[in-house]
Amino acid sequence: MLPIQVIDSFLLNYEIGQVLLLVFALGTLGLLGLGSKKVLSLHFGAFGLIFLMTPQAINSRLYLFLGLGLLVIAPMVFATSDD
C-alpha cells in the first residue's frame, strides 16, 4: 500500500483528465484479456459518463469530447457483441 503523500505528490503534477485517461487505458488493457465485448462496452460507457460529468473547471474540453465519443461507441460495441 502506498502512503497518501506519494499519491498526492504524483497527482499534483497532472490534471484530473490525464489521470482518468491513464486509469481508463489500464482498465481497457486489463479487460481485453477477458475477451468479452459486453464488459468492454460497459467500461467504455462508465468512463464516458465519468469524463462527461467531471467539472470543466478542473478539466479541459478535450476530455469532455472523449466522454461523448465513448458514450456513442459503448452502445454500438454492446449491440455487436456475441457473448
Side-chain angles (χ1 to χ4, degrees):
M1 200 72 186
L2 291 173
I4 297 294
Q5 291 84 11
V6 173
I7 296 170
D8 189 41
S9 66
F10 171 75
L11 291 178
L12 285 176
N13 297 327
Y14 301 101
E15 291 181 3
I16 188 69
Q18 293 170 333
V19 174
L20 287 174
L21 187 62
L22 176 68
V23 172
F24 171 71
L26 291 175
T28 302
L29 288 175
L31 288 175
L32 285 177
L34 291 176
S36 174
K37 285 186 181 179
K38 286 189 178 184
V39 174
L40 192 63
S41 70
L42 292 174
H43 178 72
F44 286 171
F47 269 95
L49 282 174
I50 290 171
F51 280 123
L52 195 65
M53 294 177 64
T54 304
Q56 295 303 308
I58 59 172
N59 206 3
S60 67
R61 288 188 183 242
L62 174 70
Y63 301 109
L64 172 70
F65 293 124
L66 176 65
L68 287 173
L70 286 173
L71 284 177
V72 169
I73 291 173
M76 290 190 282
V77 173
F78 190 84
T80 59
S81 66
D82 294 334
D83 303 341

Coordinates of all heavy atoms in Angstrom, one line a residue:
M1 N 0.8 -1.2 0.0 CA 0.0 0.0 0.0 C 0.9 1.2 0.0 O 1.8 1.3 0.7 CB -0.9 -0.1 1.2 CG -2.1 0.8 1.2 SD -3.2 0.0 0.0 CE -4.4 1.2 0.0
L2 N 0.5 2.2 -0.9 CA 1.3 3.4 -1.0 C 0.8 4.4 0.0 O -0.4 4.6 0.3 CB 1.2 4.0 -2.4 CG 1.8 3.2 -3.5 CD1 1.4 3.9 -4.8 CD2 3.3 3.2 -3.3
P3 N 1.7 5.2 0.6 CA 1.3 6.3 1.5 C 0.5 7.4 0.7 O 0.8 7.6 -0.5 CB 2.6 6.8 2.1 CG 3.6 5.9 1.7 CD 3.2 5.0 0.6
I4 N -0.3 8.1 1.4 CA -1.1 9.1 0.8 C -0.2 10.2 0.2 O -0.5 10.8 -0.9 CB -2.1 9.7 1.8 CG1 -3.1 8.7 2.2 CG2 -2.8 10.9 1.2 CD1 -4.0 8.2 1.2
Q5 N 0.9 10.5 0.8 CA 1.8 11.6 0.3 C 2.4 11.2 -1.0 O 2.5 12.1 -1.9 CB 2.9 11.8 1.3 CG 2.5 12.4 2.6 CD 2.0 11.4 3.6 OE1 2.1 10.2 3.4 NE2 1.4 11.8 4.7
V6 N 2.7 10.0 -1.3 CA 3.2 9.6 -2.6 C 2.2 9.8 -3.7 O 2.4 10.3 -4.7 CB 3.7 8.1 -2.5 CG1 4.1 7.6 -3.9 CG2 4.8 8.0 -1.5
I7 N 0.9 9.4 -3.4 CA -0.1 9.5 -4.4 C -0.4 11.0 -4.6 O -0.6 11.4 -5.7 CB -1.4 8.8 -3.9 CG1 -1.1 7.3 -3.8 CG2 -2.6 9.0 -4.8 CD1 -2.2 6.5 -3.1
D8 N -0.4 11.8 -3.5 CA -0.7 13.2 -3.7 C 0.4 13.9 -4.5 O 0.1 14.8 -5.3 CB -0.9 13.8 -2.3 CG -1.4 15.3 -2.4 OD1 -2.3 15.5 -3.2 OD2 -0.8 16.1 -1.6
S9 N 1.6 13.6 -4.2 CA 2.7 14.2 -5.0 C 2.7 13.8 -6.5 O 3.1 14.6 -7.3 CB 4.1 13.9 -4.4 OG 4.3 12.5 -4.5
F10 N 2.2 12.6 -6.8 CA 2.0 12.2 -8.2 C 0.9 13.0 -8.8 O 1.0 13.5 -9.9 CB 1.8 10.7 -8.2 CG 1.4 10.2 -9.6 CD1 2.3 10.1 -10.6 CD2 0.0 9.9 -9.9 CE1 2.0 9.7 -11.9 CE2 -0.3 9.5 -11.2 CZ 0.6 9.4 -12.1
L11 N -0.2 13.1 -8.1 CA -1.4 13.7 -8.7 C -1.3 15.2 -8.9 O -1.9 15.8 -9.7 CB -2.7 13.4 -7.9 CG -3.1 12.0 -7.9 CD1 -4.3 11.8 -7.0 CD2 -3.5 11.6 -9.3
L12 N -0.4 15.9 -8.1 CA -0.2 17.3 -8.2 C 0.4 17.7 -9.6 O 0.2 18.9 -10.0 CB 0.6 17.9 -7.1 CG -0.1 18.0 -5.7 CD1 0.9 18.4 -4.7 CD2 -1.3 18.9 -5.8
N13 N 1.1 16.8 -10.2 CA 1.8 17.1 -11.5 C 0.9 17.0 -12.7 O 1.3 17.4 -13.8 CB 3.0 16.2 -11.6 CG 4.0 16.4 -10.5 OD1 4.2 17.5 -10.1 ND2 4.7 15.4 -10.2
Y14 N -0.3 16.4 -12.5 CA -1.2 16.1 -13.7 C -2.6 16.7 -13.4 O -3.0 16.9 -12.3 CB -1.2 14.6 -13.9 CG 0.1 14.0 -14.2 CD1 0.8 13.3 -13.2 CD2 0.7 14.1 -15.4 CE1 2.1 12.8 -13.4 CE2 2.0 13.6 -15.6 CZ 2.6 12.9 -14.6 OH 3.8 12.4 -14.9
E15 N -3.3 16.9 -14.6 CA -4.7 17.2 -14.5 C -5.5 16.0 -14.2 O -5.1 14.8 -14.4 CB -5.2 17.7 -15.8 CG -4.7 19.1 -16.3 CD -5.2 19.5 -17.6 OE1 -6.1 18.8 -18.2 OE2 -4.8 20.5 -18.1
I16 N -6.8 16.2 -13.7 CA -7.6 15.0 -13.4 C -8.0 14.2 -14.7 O -8.1 13.0 -14.6 CB -8.9 15.5 -12.6 CG1 -9.7 14.3 -12.1 CG2 -9.8 16.4 -13.5 CD1 -9.1 13.6 -11.0
G17 N -8.1 14.9 -15.8 CA -8.4 14.2 -17.0 C -7.2 13.3 -17.5 O -7.5 12.2 -18.0
Q18 N -6.0 13.7 -17.2 CA -4.9 12.8 -17.6 C -4.8 11.6 -16.7 O -4.5 10.5 -17.2 CB -3.6 13.6 -17.4 CG -3.4 14.7 -18.5 CD -2.3 15.6 -18.2 OE1 -1.8 15.8 -17.0 NE2 -1.7 16.2 -19.2
V19 N -5.1 11.8 -15.4 CA -5.2 10.6 -14.5 C -6.3 9.7 -14.9 O -6.1 8.5 -14.9 CB -5.3 11.1 -13.0 CG1 -5.4 10.0 -12.1 CG2 -4.1 11.9 -12.7
L20 N -7.5 10.2 -15.2 CA -8.6 9.4 -15.6 C -8.3 8.6 -16.9 O -8.7 7.5 -17.1 CB -9.9 10.2 -15.7 CG -10.5 10.7 -14.4 CD1 -11.7 11.6 -14.8 CD2 -11.0 9.6 -13.6
L21 N -7.6 9.3 -17.8 CA -7.2 8.7 -19.1 C -6.3 7.5 -18.8 O -6.4 6.4 -19.4 CB -6.6 9.7 -20.0 CG -6.4 9.2 -21.4 CD1 -7.6 8.8 -22.1 CD2 -5.7 10.3 -22.2
L22 N -5.4 7.7 -17.9 CA -4.4 6.6 -17.5 C -5.2 5.4 -16.9 O -5.0 4.3 -17.3 CB -3.4 7.1 -16.6 CG -2.4 6.0 -16.1 CD1 -1.5 5.5 -17.2 CD2 -1.6 6.6 -14.9
V23 N -6.1 5.7 -16.0 CA -6.9 4.6 -15.4 C -7.8 3.9 -16.5 O -7.9 2.7 -16.5 CB -7.8 5.2 -14.2 CG1 -8.7 4.2 -13.7 CG2 -6.9 5.7 -13.1
F24 N -8.3 4.7 -17.4 CA -9.2 4.2 -18.5 C -8.3 3.2 -19.3 O -8.8 2.1 -19.7 CB -9.8 5.3 -19.3 CG -10.4 4.8 -20.6 CD1 -11.6 4.1 -20.5 CD2 -9.9 5.0 -21.8 CE1 -12.2 3.7 -21.7 CE2 -10.5 4.6 -23.0 CZ -11.7 3.9 -22.9
A25 N -7.1 3.7 -19.7 CA -6.3 2.8 -20.6 C -5.8 1.6 -19.9 O -5.9 0.5 -20.5 CB -5.1 3.7 -21.0
L26 N -5.5 1.7 -18.6 CA -5.1 0.5 -17.9 C -6.2 -0.5 -17.7 O -6.1 -1.7 -17.8 CB -4.5 0.9 -16.5 CG -3.1 1.6 -16.6 CD1 -2.7 2.0 -15.2 CD2 -2.1 0.7 -17.2
G27 N -7.4 0.1 -17.4 CA -8.6 -0.8 -17.3 C -9.0 -1.5 -18.6 O -9.4 -2.6 -18.6
T28 N -8.8 -0.8 -19.7 CA -9.1 -1.4 -21.0 C -8.1 -2.5 -21.3 O -8.5 -3.5 -21.8 CB -9.0 -0.3 -22.1 OG1 -10.0 0.8 -21.8 CG2 -9.4 -0.8 -23.5
L29 N -6.9 -2.3 -21.0 CA -5.9 -3.3 -21.2 C -6.2 -4.6 -20.4 O -6.0 -5.7 -20.8 CB -4.5 -2.8 -20.9 CG -3.9 -1.9 -22.0 CD1 -2.5 -1.3 -21.5 CD2 -3.7 -2.5 -23.3
G30 N -6.6 -4.3 -19.2 CA -7.0 -5.4 -18.3 C -8.2 -6.2 -18.8 O -8.3 -7.4 -18.6
L31 N -9.2 -5.5 -19.3 CA -10.4 -6.1 -19.8 C -10.2 -6.8 -21.1 O -11.0 -7.7 -21.4 CB -11.5 -5.1 -19.9 CG -12.0 -4.6 -18.5 CD1 -13.1 -3.5 -18.8 CD2 -12.7 -5.7 -17.7
L32 N -9.2 -6.5 -21.9 CA -9.0 -7.1 -23.2 C -8.7 -8.6 -22.9 O -9.0 -9.4 -23.8 CB -7.9 -6.4 -24.0 CG -8.3 -5.1 -24.6 CD1 -7.1 -4.5 -25.3 CD2 -9.4 -5.3 -25.6
G33 N -8.1 -8.9 -21.8 CA -7.8 -10.3 -21.5 C -9.0 -11.2 -21.3 O -9.0 -12.4 -21.5
L34 N -10.1 -10.5 -20.9 CA -11.3 -11.3 -20.7 C -12.0 -11.7 -22.0 O -12.6 -12.8 -22.0 CB -12.4 -10.5 -19.9 CG -12.0 -10.2 -18.4 CD1 -13.1 -9.2 -17.8 CD2 -12.0 -11.4 -17.6
G35 N -11.8 -11.0 -23.0 CA -12.4 -11.3 -24.3 C -13.9 -11.0 -24.4 O -14.5 -11.5 -25.3
S36 N -14.5 -10.3 -23.5 CA -15.9 -10.0 -23.5 C -16.2 -8.6 -24.0 O -15.7 -7.6 -23.4 CB -16.5 -10.2 -22.1 OG -17.8 -9.8 -22.1
K37 N -16.9 -8.5 -25.1 CA -17.2 -7.2 -25.7 C -18.2 -6.5 -24.8 O -18.2 -5.2 -24.7 CB -17.7 -7.3 -27.1 CG -16.6 -7.6 -28.1 CD -17.2 -7.5 -29.5 CE -16.2 -7.8 -30.6 NZ -16.8 -7.8 -31.9
K38 N -19.1 -7.2 -24.2 CA -20.1 -6.6 -23.3 C -19.5 -5.9 -22.1 O -19.9 -4.7 -21.8 CB -21.2 -7.6 -22.9 CG -22.1 -8.0 -24.0 CD -23.2 -8.8 -23.4 CE -24.1 -9.2 -24.6 NZ -25.3 -9.9 -24.2
V39 N -18.5 -6.5 -21.5 CA -17.9 -5.9 -20.3 C -17.1 -4.7 -20.8 O -17.0 -3.7 -20.1 CB -17.0 -6.9 -19.6 CG1 -16.2 -6.3 -18.5 CG2 -17.8 -8.1 -19.1
L40 N -16.4 -4.8 -22.0 CA -15.6 -3.7 -22.5 C -16.5 -2.5 -22.8 O -16.2 -1.4 -22.6 CB -14.9 -4.2 -23.7 CG -13.8 -3.2 -24.3 CD1 -12.7 -3.0 -23.3 CD2 -13.2 -3.8 -25.6
S41 N -17.7 -2.8 -23.4 CA -18.6 -1.7 -23.7 C -19.2 -1.0 -22.4 O -19.4 0.2 -22.4 CB -19.8 -2.2 -24.5 OG -20.6 -3.0 -23.8
L42 N -19.4 -1.8 -21.4 CA -19.8 -1.2 -20.1 C -18.7 -0.3 -19.5 O -19.0 0.7 -18.9 CB -20.2 -2.3 -19.1 CG -21.5 -3.1 -19.4 CD1 -21.7 -4.2 -18.5 CD2 -22.7 -2.2 -19.4
H43 N -17.5 -0.8 -19.7 CA -16.3 0.0 -19.3 C -16.3 1.3 -20.0 O -16.0 2.4 -19.5 CB -15.0 -0.8 -19.5 CG -13.8 -0.1 -19.1 ND1 -13.4 0.1 -17.8 CD2 -12.8 0.4 -19.9 CE1 -12.2 0.7 -17.8 NE2 -11.8 0.9 -19.1
F44 N -16.5 1.3 -21.4 CA -16.5 2.5 -22.2 C -17.6 3.4 -21.7 O -17.4 4.6 -21.6 CB -16.7 2.1 -23.7 CG -15.5 1.5 -24.3 CD1 -15.6 1.0 -25.6 CD2 -14.2 1.5 -23.7 CE1 -14.5 0.4 -26.3 CE2 -13.2 0.9 -24.4 CZ -13.3 0.4 -25.6
G45 N -18.8 2.9 -21.5 CA -19.9 3.7 -21.1 C -19.7 4.4 -19.7 O -20.0 5.5 -19.5
A46 N -19.1 3.6 -18.8 CA -18.9 4.1 -17.4 C -17.8 5.3 -17.5 O -18.0 6.3 -16.9 CB -18.4 3.0 -16.5
F47 N -16.8 5.1 -18.2 CA -15.7 6.1 -18.3 C -16.2 7.3 -19.2 O -15.8 8.4 -19.0 CB -14.4 5.6 -18.8 CG -13.5 5.2 -17.7 CD1 -13.5 3.8 -17.3 CD2 -12.7 6.1 -17.0 CE1 -12.7 3.4 -16.2 CE2 -12.0 5.7 -16.0 CZ -11.9 4.4 -15.5
G48 N -17.1 7.0 -20.1 CA -17.7 8.1 -20.9 C -18.5 9.0 -20.0 O -18.4 10.3 -20.0
L49 N -19.3 8.4 -19.0 CA -20.0 9.2 -18.1 C -19.1 10.0 -17.1 O -19.3 11.1 -16.8 CB -21.0 8.3 -17.3 CG -22.2 7.9 -18.0 CD1 -23.0 6.9 -17.1 CD2 -23.1 9.2 -18.3
I50 N -18.0 9.3 -16.7 CA -17.1 9.9 -15.8 C -16.4 11.1 -16.5 O -16.3 12.2 -15.9 CB -16.0 8.9 -15.3 CG1 -16.6 7.9 -14.4 CG2 -14.8 9.6 -14.6 CD1 -15.8 6.7 -14.0
F51 N -15.9 11.0 -17.7 CA -15.3 12.1 -18.4 C -16.3 13.2 -18.7 O -16.0 14.4 -18.6 CB -14.8 11.6 -19.8 CG -13.4 10.9 -19.7 CD1 -13.2 9.7 -20.2 CD2 -12.3 11.6 -19.1 CE1 -12.0 9.0 -20.1 CE2 -11.1 11.0 -19.0 CZ -10.9 9.7 -19.5
L52 N -17.6 12.8 -18.9 CA -18.6 13.8 -19.2 C -19.0 14.6 -18.0 O -19.2 15.8 -18.0 CB -19.8 13.2 -19.8 CG -20.9 14.0 -20.5 CD1 -20.3 14.7 -21.7 CD2 -22.1 13.2 -20.9
M53 N -19.0 14.0 -16.8 CA -19.5 14.6 -15.6 C -18.4 15.3 -14.8 O -18.7 15.9 -13.8 CB -20.2 13.5 -14.7 CG -21.5 13.0 -15.4 SD -22.3 11.8 -14.4 CE -22.7 12.6 -13.0
T54 N -17.1 15.1 -15.2 CA -16.1 15.8 -14.5 C -16.2 17.3 -14.7 O -16.4 17.7 -15.8 CB -14.7 15.3 -15.0 OG1 -14.6 13.9 -14.9 CG2 -13.6 15.9 -14.2
P55 N -16.1 18.1 -13.6 CA -16.3 19.5 -13.8 C -15.3 20.1 -14.8 O -14.1 19.8 -14.7 CB -16.1 20.1 -12.4 CG -16.3 18.9 -11.5 CD -16.0 17.7 -12.3
Q56 N -15.7 21.0 -15.6 CA -14.9 21.6 -16.6 C -13.9 22.7 -16.0 O -13.0 23.1 -16.7 CB -15.7 22.3 -17.7 CG -16.5 21.3 -18.5 CD -15.7 20.2 -19.1 OE1 -14.7 20.5 -19.8 NE2 -16.0 19.0 -18.9
A57 N -14.1 23.1 -14.8 CA -13.2 24.0 -14.1 C -11.9 23.3 -13.8 O -10.9 24.0 -13.8 CB -13.8 24.5 -12.8
I58 N -11.9 22.0 -13.6 CA -10.6 21.3 -13.3 C -10.2 20.4 -14.5 O -9.3 19.6 -14.3 CB -10.8 20.5 -12.0 CG1 -11.9 19.5 -12.1 CG2 -10.9 21.4 -10.8 CD1 -11.9 18.6 -10.9
N59 N -10.9 20.5 -15.6 CA -10.6 19.6 -16.7 C -10.7 20.3 -18.0 O -11.4 21.3 -18.1 CB -11.7 18.5 -16.7 CG -11.2 17.2 -17.3 OD1 -10.1 17.1 -17.7 ND2 -12.1 16.2 -17.3
S60 N -10.0 19.9 -19.0 CA -10.1 20.6 -20.3 C -11.2 20.0 -21.2 O -11.7 18.9 -20.9 CB -8.7 20.4 -21.1 OG -8.5 19.1 -21.4
R61 N -11.6 20.7 -22.2 CA -12.7 20.3 -23.1 C -12.4 19.0 -23.9 O -13.3 18.4 -24.3 CB -13.1 21.4 -24.0 CG -13.8 22.5 -23.3 CD -14.3 23.5 -24.3 NE -14.9 24.6 -23.5 CZ -16.2 24.9 -23.6 NH1 -17.0 24.2 -24.4 NH2 -16.7 25.9 -22.9
L62 N -11.1 18.7 -24.1 CA -10.8 17.5 -24.8 C -11.4 16.3 -24.2 O -11.9 15.4 -24.9 CB -9.2 17.4 -24.9 CG -8.7 16.2 -25.5 CD1 -9.0 16.1 -27.0 CD2 -7.2 16.0 -25.2
Y63 N -11.4 16.2 -22.9 CA -11.9 15.0 -22.2 C -13.4 15.0 -22.2 O -14.0 13.9 -22.1 CB -11.3 15.0 -20.7 CG -9.8 15.0 -20.7 CD1 -9.1 16.0 -20.3 CD2 -9.1 13.8 -21.2 CE1 -7.7 16.0 -20.3 CE2 -7.8 13.8 -21.2 CZ -7.0 14.9 -20.8 OH -5.7 14.8 -20.8
L64 N -14.0 16.2 -22.3 CA -15.5 16.2 -22.5 C -15.8 15.5 -23.8 O -16.8 14.7 -23.9 CB -16.0 17.6 -22.5 CG -17.4 17.9 -22.8 CD1 -18.3 17.3 -21.7 CD2 -17.7 19.3 -23.1
F65 N -15.1 15.9 -24.9 CA -15.4 15.3 -26.2 C -15.0 13.8 -26.2 O -15.7 13.0 -26.9 CB -14.7 16.0 -27.3 CG -15.2 17.4 -27.5 CD1 -14.4 18.5 -27.4 CD2 -16.6 17.6 -27.7 CE1 -14.9 19.8 -27.6 CE2 -17.1 18.9 -27.9 CZ -16.3 20.0 -27.8
L66 N -14.0 13.4 -25.5 CA -13.7 12.0 -25.3 C -14.8 11.2 -24.6 O -15.2 10.1 -25.1 CB -12.4 11.8 -24.5 CG -12.0 10.4 -24.2 CD1 -11.6 9.6 -25.5 CD2 -10.8 10.4 -23.3
G67 N -15.4 11.8 -23.6 CA -16.5 11.2 -22.9 C -17.7 11.1 -23.9 O -18.4 10.0 -23.8
L68 N -18.0 12.1 -24.7 CA -19.1 12.0 -25.6 C -18.9 10.9 -26.6 O -19.8 10.1 -27.0 CB -19.3 13.3 -26.3 CG -19.9 14.4 -25.5 CD1 -19.9 15.7 -26.3 CD2 -21.3 14.1 -25.1
G69 N -17.6 10.8 -27.1 CA -17.3 9.7 -28.1 C -17.4 8.3 -27.5 O -17.9 7.4 -28.1
L70 N -17.0 8.2 -26.2 CA -17.1 6.9 -25.6 C -18.6 6.5 -25.3 O -19.0 5.4 -25.4 CB -16.4 6.9 -24.2 CG -14.9 6.8 -24.3 CD1 -14.3 7.0 -22.9 CD2 -14.4 5.5 -24.9
L71 N -19.4 7.5 -25.0 CA -20.9 7.3 -24.9 C -21.6 6.9 -26.2 O -22.6 6.2 -26.2 CB -21.6 8.5 -24.2 CG -21.3 8.6 -22.7 CD1 -22.0 9.9 -22.2 CD2 -21.8 7.4 -22.0
V72 N -21.0 7.3 -27.3 CA -21.6 6.9 -28.6 C -21.1 5.5 -29.0 O -21.9 4.7 -29.5 CB -21.2 8.0 -29.7 CG1 -21.5 7.5 -31.1 CG2 -21.9 9.3 -29.4
I73 N -19.8 5.2 -28.7 CA -19.3 4.0 -29.1 C -19.7 2.8 -28.2 O -19.9 1.7 -28.7 CB -17.7 4.1 -29.0 CG1 -17.2 5.0 -30.2 CG2 -17.1 2.7 -29.1 CD1 -15.8 5.3 -30.1
A74 N -20.0 3.1 -26.9 CA -20.3 2.0 -26.0 C -21.6 1.2 -26.4 O -21.5 0.0 -26.4 CB -20.5 2.5 -24.6
P75 N -22.7 1.8 -26.8 CA -23.9 1.0 -27.2 C -23.6 0.2 -28.5 O -24.2 -0.8 -28.6 CB -25.0 2.0 -27.3 CG -24.5 3.3 -26.7 CD -23.0 3.2 -26.6
M76 N -22.8 0.8 -29.4 CA -22.6 0.1 -30.6 C -21.7 -1.2 -30.3 O -22.0 -2.2 -30.9 CB -21.8 1.0 -31.6 CG -22.7 2.1 -32.1 SD -22.0 3.0 -33.5 CE -20.8 4.0 -32.6
V77 N -20.8 -1.1 -29.5 CA -20.0 -2.3 -29.1 C -20.8 -3.3 -28.4 O -20.7 -4.5 -28.6 CB -18.7 -1.9 -28.3 CG1 -18.0 -3.1 -27.8 CG2 -17.8 -1.0 -29.1
F78 N -21.7 -2.8 -27.5 CA -22.6 -3.7 -26.8 C -23.6 -4.4 -27.7 O -23.8 -5.6 -27.6 CB -23.4 -2.9 -25.7 CG -24.1 -3.8 -24.8 CD1 -23.5 -4.3 -23.7 CD2 -25.4 -4.1 -24.9 CE1 -24.1 -5.1 -22.8 CE2 -26.1 -4.9 -24.0 CZ -25.5 -5.4 -22.9
A79 N -24.1 -3.7 -28.7 CA -25.1 -4.3 -29.6 C -24.4 -5.3 -30.6 O -25.1 -6.3 -31.0 CB -25.8 -3.2 -30.4
T80 N -23.1 -5.1 -30.9 CA -22.5 -6.0 -31.8 C -21.8 -7.2 -31.2 O -21.2 -8.0 -31.8 CB -21.5 -5.3 -32.7 OG1 -20.5 -4.7 -31.9 CG2 -22.2 -4.2 -33.5
S81 N -21.9 -7.3 -29.8 CA -21.2 -8.3 -29.1 C -21.9 -9.7 -29.3 O -23.1 -9.7 -29.4 CB -21.0 -8.0 -27.7 OG -22.2 -7.9 -27.0
D82 N -21.2 -10.7 -29.3 CA -21.7 -12.1 -29.4 C -22.0 -12.8 -28.1 O -22.7 -13.7 -28.0 CB -20.8 -13.0 -30.3 CG -20.7 -12.5 -31.7 OD1 -21.6 -11.8 -32.2 OD2 -19.6 -12.7 -32.3
D83 N -21.3 -12.3 -27.0 CA -21.4 -13.0 -25.7 C -22.8 -13.0 -25.2 O -23.4 -12.1 -25.0 CB -20.4 -12.4 -24.8 CG -19.0 -12.4 -25.3 OD1 -18.7 -13.1 -26.2 OD2 -18.2 -11.6 -24.8

